[in-house]
Amino acid sequence: MPVPERYDFLAGDGVPLKLTRYVGGTKGPVLLVHGAGVWSGMFMLPTLKENFVQHLVRHGYDTWLLDWRASVQLPLRQFTLDDAADHDMPAAVRRVREITGADSVQAVVHCAGSAAFFMSMAAGHLPDVRTVVASQVALHHHTPATTRFKALLRVPELLDAGLDSLTPDDASRTPLFQAAFTKVSSLLRMECDSPVCHRLSFMYGRLYRHARLNTETHARLEEQFGRCNLLTFRHLGQLARGGHAAKFDYGRAGNLARYGQARPPDYLDPEPFQRPITFVSSEQNRTYLPSSTERTFQWLREANGARWYQRRMLPGYGHLDTFMGSTAAEDTYPVLREALEFQPR
């Protein structure tokens, strides 16, 4: 691996963010965007023979890892995905272009990071992103029944009275709640004896197939995951209930004051998406169902024509094992890399 270059920079609203660069060649530059409650380390696990960053570098990519405000390596703050869409994603793309002198960038975006990135594109903030690979979700949110049930119960709103975040590890300032959380989450999934794994399943749904993770990766999950603020959980719950990307719902009075209408506006404008986009879903994803990317894929094809878009299914994989799986370098990384080279006909 080349020596990493690290850059601190500010989002549009002044929030400190981080970029890490690995210069593998002249392809790209490609920006990697992680999900919520995790960090950019998910793309470069030390427990794999070859992680995703190593794979891209080996194939000649100038690779950039973004730690946006959802990163567990940054101080916890309450935010909606609108905040990240308006301030983090444009600032990151702008900073990469400033440093590299590139006219445009490519991006591989995952989970909540993908949702925020697509919101940012829909808002017209990212005209200088030329190619996008969307992992597992984009503008339409289809979740398993258990996730929809928690969203309908408004679990984050119920917890919001006494908590500021949920975490899968033991680093909690509310030990009594964390003990109860561990007890409840252990009842929901018994594939292993890891409390971290059980809490992750409660928080996000089934993030991976156990058979796809090697023993060391599973044992070191707490190095990748941490606290996720409840305001973000509330926004994700709203998207699960509504089924598509929309601004945060502040309630009727709040929406009228902020948006000038009773319901929050959505992000369903197809015009900014006339660029090469590959939608990638895993066949056995139980965090976001594969129908999530299918819906966005078909919607954009109907609106803008088929030439800009393609969709790839990863058989036998779940949500995060796309990047963290023990054999992902052979099974999934080539699919993602080839998607970066997709050219519309």
Side-chain angles (χ1 to χ4, degrees):
M1 288 285 286
V3 176
E5 302 175 12
R6 307 188 191 279
Y7 300 92
D8 296 327
F9 70 107
L10 298 179
D13 58 353
V15 172
L17 307 177
K18 295 181 181 294
L19 281 164
T20 305
R21 181 189 193 185
Y22 293 89
V23 183
T26 58
K27 294 181 181 179
V30 57
L31 182 69
L32 308 185
V33 182
H34 61 78
V38 68
W39 66 295
S40 64
M42 63 166 278
F43 298 115
M44 50 181 309
L45 293 186
T47 55
L48 302 179
K49 290 182 180 179
E50 181 177 70
N51 58 50
F52 189 49
V53 173
Q54 290 171 323
H55 183 84
L56 290 177
V57 166
R58 181 164 64 86
H59 286 276
Y61 279 89
D62 183 8
T63 306
W64 293 76
L65 285 75
L66 171 63
D67 280 280
W68 56 291
R69 68 185 67 201
S71 171
V72 299
Q73 296 294 306
L74 300 176
L76 180 76
R77 64 181 68 248
Q78 302 295 321
F79 68 89
T80 69
L81 295 180
D82 305 320
D83 298 325
D86 289 339
H87 304 299
D88 294 19
M89 306 308 169
V93 170
R94 183 167 55 250
R95 189 69 179 122
V96 170
R97 290 188 59 213
E98 288 172 353
I99 295 168
T100 63
D103 293 332
S104 62
V105 306
Q106 298 175 280
V108 178
V109 295
H110 177 72
C111 193
S114 181
F117 203 85
F118 270 74
M119 290 175 176
S120 192
M121 285 196 289
H125 298 324
L126 301 176
D128 41 6
V129 175
R130 70 178 184 273
T131 308
V132 185
V133 182
S135 171
Q136 313 304 332
V137 69
L139 291 172
H140 294 87
H141 297 242
H142 293 176
T143 57
T146 53
T147 301
R148 291 197 301 273
F149 181 66
K150 286 184 290 185
L152 289 171
L153 288 179
R154 287 173 164 75
V155 171
E157 285 86 341
L158 295 174
L159 296 174
D160 204 17
L163 297 172
D164 61 358
S165 63
L166 285 177
T167 179
D169 58 31
D170 290 318
S172 174
R173 292 174 292 180
T174 54
L176 291 178
F177 170 81
Q178 197 69 0
F181 181 27
T182 300
K183 185 67 174 178
V184 171
S185 59
S186 68
L187 299 175
L188 301 179
R189 181 174 185 153
M190 301 298 291
E191 295 182 44
C192 67
D193 58 2
S194 167
V196 173
C197 186
H198 300 165
R199 296 182 197 123
L200 283 171
S201 296
F202 181 89
M203 292 168 66
Y204 303 111
R206 298 188 177 189
L207 286 176
Y208 40 78
R209 296 189 63 220
H210 274 69
R212 289 291 181 186
L213 301 189
N214 64 38
T215 302
E216 189 178 3
T217 298
H218 187 266
R220 296 171 61 176
L221 286 171
E222 63 184 24
E223 296 177 10
Q224 299 301 319
F225 298 93
R227 297 165 70 192
C228 183
N229 76 88
L230 284 179
L231 187 56
T232 300
F233 269 124
R234 287 178 60 186
H235 199 173
L236 290 170
Q238 291 172 11
L239 301 182
R241 289 193 298 272
H244 62 267
K247 290 184 177 291
F248 185 76
D249 190 346
Y250 291 92
R252 181 180 176 82
N255 293 338
L256 286 169
R258 185 176 291 260
Y259 308 128
Q261 56 190 65
R263 296 177 62 84
D266 63 40
Y267 286 93
L268 299 183
D269 178 5
E271 195 278 331
F273 296 98
Q274 296 183 41
R275 65 189 89 184
I277 299 175
T278 300
F279 300 94
V280 178
S281 274
S282 298
E283 182 184 49
Q284 299 188 34
N285 190 340
R286 295 300 178 264
T287 300
Y288 285 103
L289 298 176
S291 53
S292 298
T293 59
E294 173 68 18
R295 179 71 184 277
T296 306
F297 173 65
Q298 295 295 351
W299 173 71
L300 285 175
R301 282 165 59 94
E302 292 171 6
N304 294 333
R307 66 184 297 263
W308 298 106
Y309 314 110
Q310 63 176 358
R311 185 169 178 265
R312 296 289 180 264
M313 287 291 292
L314 303 175
Y317 273 80
H319 184 71
L320 255 180
D321 36 329
T322 304
F323 297 99
M324 299 171 65
S326 59
T327 59
E330 293 82 38
D331 303 333
T332 67
Y333 297 170
V335 176
L336 300 170
R337 175 173 50 81
E338 289 166 9
L340 287 171
E341 300 167 5
F342 166 55
Q343 294 294 327
R345 297 189 181 95

